[in-house]
Amino acid sequence: MRRPTESVVDGSKASSPVHPKDLPSVDRLLRQPAVTALLAEHGHTRVASEARGLLDGLRTQALAGSLPAEAVAHDVLAEALARRVGQRLAPRMRAVLNLTGTVIHTNLGRALLADSALQHLLAMMASPNNLEYSLDSGGRGDRDSIVEELLCTLTGAQAATVVNNNAAAVLLTIAAMARGREVIVSRGELVEIGGAFRMPDVMSSAGATLVEVGTTNRTHPHDYERAITERTALLMKVHTSNYAVQGFTTAVDEAELAGIARARGVPLATDLGSGSLVDLAQWGLPREPLPQEKLAAGCDIVTFSGDKLLGGPQAGLIVGSREAVGRIRKFPMKRALRMSKLPLAALEATLMLYLRPERLTQDLPTLRLLTRPADAIRALAHTLLSEVASAVAPRFEVAVLDLMGQIGSGSLPVEKLPSAGLAIAPLQKKGAGRALDELATALRGLPLPVIGRVADDRLLLDLRCLEDSAPFLSQLPDLRQALR
Ligand SMILES: *Cc1c(COP(=O)(O)O)cnc(C)c1O
């Protein structure tokens, strides 16, 4: 059924809807003078393909009798085509502003790389390099050797190897040490890390049998001792990084467990999850266990992530005794989980920064952001207040607010980071929820999308991770426009 349609141009009734046969052909559309520049910039293949898609869509509308004549004017068509080509060629992976208050945000790509890591990465990728080539002998080299010495220096380990991520490090460790045999883990440590990575499932994927000991809240040394048999290949500790068991709890620490392990001739591995190479308590931050402590306590293997508190690229770091790391490195699965040269270059440069620990809070973005004082963040909020307020007026009001942020990525979930930011609230109580959705959508729709969080009927922009406010301020006119 045909109905008179509203013109997109001026809201008046359109003369009559366009008939499918009145649509131009792809060739004719491409011959429009207005399309010449588009063809010159992006080439015939892409532009023709988008022109086909555009005309197909218009034909469907025309068949339904709902295509106004204005929509097929030459300049309107050329503009629609340019928009389609632009959208198709726009990267799907985009930079965003993380104003969520969570510094190491898994959904937003975790740690930011340090400048030196970015530079090293760029230089190494633009040229052949000695990834697996020994410049001493002129023969084949080992990619592990690029970071092994650094990791040993920083953690006190005898040996080190690296894989794609920490999940891979755990999988590989269990497979190499315990395939076809048993691994003993406390019931209080059978964690799910997210993304379907659950300890019991990892065990079976690695071909090992999980032996659970103790209870959710309490596990004692004799629980481990009783469970060890000739089938036992590994004792495993898992840092319960993304939750806390509080109250009537007890766990066996690595030092005590190492004694049991050694007496029975069974190796001990610890998965630290985040792991930090420096003690965060020196900056007043909550303490995370250090790999070097766990090795000193007697662990044979410690695994941790590259892109959590370490502040580097995605990577799984495996440090430990020469014998255990040697077994892991020789295990065939290692080849499938090996690290690519891209993160390896970034990891090397990141680890280098730890050789100058005095400068870490300047040079390493993760630590720089985590140690940013709440006072400085609050002061920044005050400088942005009036401009943001005028961009969201008259529907919203803005206030500077003390906030509690998080480190993120599963570390220290119960600890909060005192921070500050802007709270944007709808002035009208009625329809406040929809107004907040609209605001959040408008912020995400900016050229550099701004990601905040909604709490207590306000949209909160935690400014801890806003180091340069210029890109944020320069988008406020776009925000004002979007909220019209
Ligand atoms: C994050 C985490 C992992 C997984 O590390 P990825 O580098 O993300 O693969 C494994 N174990 C624990 C305890 C973790 O917190």
Side-chain angles (χ1 to χ4, degrees):
M1 198 181 74
R2 297 201 173 182
R3 282 182 288 130
T5 35
E6 297 265 282
S7 157
V8 287
V9 179
D10 58 8
S12 65
K13 300 291 174 204
S15 42
S16 67
V18 175
H19 196 270
K21 72 173 175 9
D22 298 331
L23 283 169
S25 67
V26 170
D27 276 347
R28 238 184 82 207
L29 176 55
L30 296 188
R31 281 198 304 272
Q32 302 283 327
V35 177
T36 314
L38 205 59
L39 280 166
E41 190 178 352
H42 300 296
H44 184 272
T45 308
R46 183 78 270 131
V47 179
S49 162
E50 294 306 325
R52 229 168 280 127
L54 174 66
L55 291 170
D56 283 349
L58 294 175
R59 194 166 300 113
T60 307
Q61 269 183 281
L63 282 168
S66 61
L67 185 65
E70 290 80 3
V72 295
H74 290 180
D75 52 340
V76 174
L77 278 182
E79 227 173 84
L81 181 58
R83 210 165 33 243
R84 267 186 83 108
V85 172
Q87 275 166 6
R88 174 51 56 98
L89 295 178
R92 293 297 177 266
M93 191 181 215
R94 293 170 60 193
V96 304
L97 284 178
N98 172 13
L99 304 190
T100 62
T102 299
V103 176
I104 310 171
H105 199 303
T106 293
N107 302 148
L108 303 182
R110 291 197 183 161
L112 309 181
L113 291 181
D115 287 341
S116 61
L118 292 170
Q119 280 164 25
H120 192 48
L121 174 63
L122 209 60
M124 290 306 101
M125 292 316 108
S127 143
N129 56 55
N130 62 337
L131 180 67
E132 290 189 356
Y133 180 81
S134 164
L135 291 172
D136 291 333
S137 69
R140 198 174 189 290
D142 176 357
R143 69 177 67 202
D144 274 357
S145 64
I146 290 170
V147 289
E148 182 170 20
E149 196 188 322
L150 263 169
L151 279 169
C152 290
T153 303
L154 295 169
T155 64
Q158 291 177 345
T161 183
V162 286
V163 287
N164 191 39
N165 54 30
N166 189 37
V170 174
L171 179 71
L172 176 63
T173 297
I174 295 168
M177 307 290 287
R179 184 175 211 101
R181 300 181 65 202
E182 292 179 354
V183 182
I184 301 176
V185 187
S186 160
R187 288 197 171 87
E189 298 171 10
L190 292 175
V191 304
E192 169 176 318
I193 292 131
F197 188 77
R198 294 170 155 191
M199 255 318 148
D201 302 338
V202 177
M203 290 288 168
S204 53
S205 303
T209 304
L210 170 66
V211 176
E212 303 175 20
V213 296
T215 60
T216 306
N217 58 330
R218 289 171 74 87
T219 302
H220 304 279
H222 59 78
D223 292 324
Y224 288 97
E225 276 167 338
R226 270 191 226 136
I228 297 175
T229 68
E230 71 283 356
R231 292 182 303 276
T232 308
L234 187 67
L235 300 187
M236 176 115 196
K237 288 278 293 175
V238 184
H239 182 54
T240 55
S241 55
N242 56 0
Y243 71 101
V245 181
Q246 289 175 331
F248 185 57
T249 68
T250 183
V252 186
D253 68 17
E254 278 83 349
E256 193 165 5
L257 205 49
I260 297 170
R262 208 164 301 125
R264 306 290 293 268
V266 181
L268 169 64
T270 289
D271 172 27
L272 282 189
S274 198
S276 172
L277 289 175
V278 288
D279 184 359
L280 300 180
Q282 64 185 296
W283 298 290
L285 290 165
R287 204 168 187 289
E288 270 281 300
L290 314 178
Q292 48 270 45
E293 290 170 354
K294 300 299 180 190
L295 291 171
C299 287
D300 298 277
I301 288 293
V302 178
T303 60
F304 55 108
S305 231
D307 56 356
K308 293 184 180 173
L309 279 171
L310 186 85
Q314 180 185 304
L317 287 66
I318 304 174
V319 295
S321 70
R322 205 166 286 116
E323 200 217 322
V325 172
R327 255 171 88 177
I328 290 168
R329 186 182 282 140
K330 283 202 291 287
F331 196 72
M333 190 191 280
K334 163 73 163 60
R335 174 61 181 79
L337 302 176
R338 81 175 180 196
M339 216 171 157
S340 131
K341 62 180 179 173
L342 275 90
L344 194 56
L347 180 62
E348 180 186 22
T350 304
L351 292 172
M352 291 278 194
L353 296 176
Y354 283 88
L355 296 177
R356 295 180 304 181
E358 296 81 3
R359 297 190 38 154
L360 270 178
T361 55
Q362 291 137 265
D363 295 345
L364 196 69
T366 301
L367 262 187
R368 191 168 67 225
L369 294 172
L370 287 174
T371 56
R372 212 169 166 201
D375 287 348
I377 304 169
R378 193 178 307 110
L380 171 63
H382 280 288
T383 68
L384 303 181
L385 179 61
S386 71
E387 280 184 75
V388 174
S390 90
V392 299
R395 290 168 60 202
F396 300 89
E397 62 181 347
V398 187
V400 171
L401 198 68
D402 284 349
L403 298 170
M404 281 295 184
Q406 288 189 26
I407 292 179
S409 258
S411 35
L412 323 154
V414 288
E415 308 277 4
K416 298 279 186 181
L417 283 180
S419 187
L422 298 173
I424 312 180
L427 275 169
Q428 302 242 326
K429 282 281 154 284
K430 194 158 162 276
R434 220 186 44 225
L436 276 177
D437 278 351
E438 226 179 285
L439 176 63
T441 304
L443 286 163
R444 286 198 309 272
L446 292 170
L448 178 60
V450 173
I451 320 291
R453 69 179 198 268
V454 171
D456 304 330
D457 295 327
R458 291 177 297 200
L459 193 133
L460 306 178
L461 301 179
D462 186 312
L463 300 178
R464 173 174 297 279
C465 295
L466 188 70
E467 291 198 285
D468 174 10
S469 54
F472 173 74
L473 287 173
S474 70
Q475 311 195 93
L476 289 179
D478 295 300
L479 179 63
R480 188 196 317 264
Q481 191 68 34
L483 291 175
R484 276 273 162 79

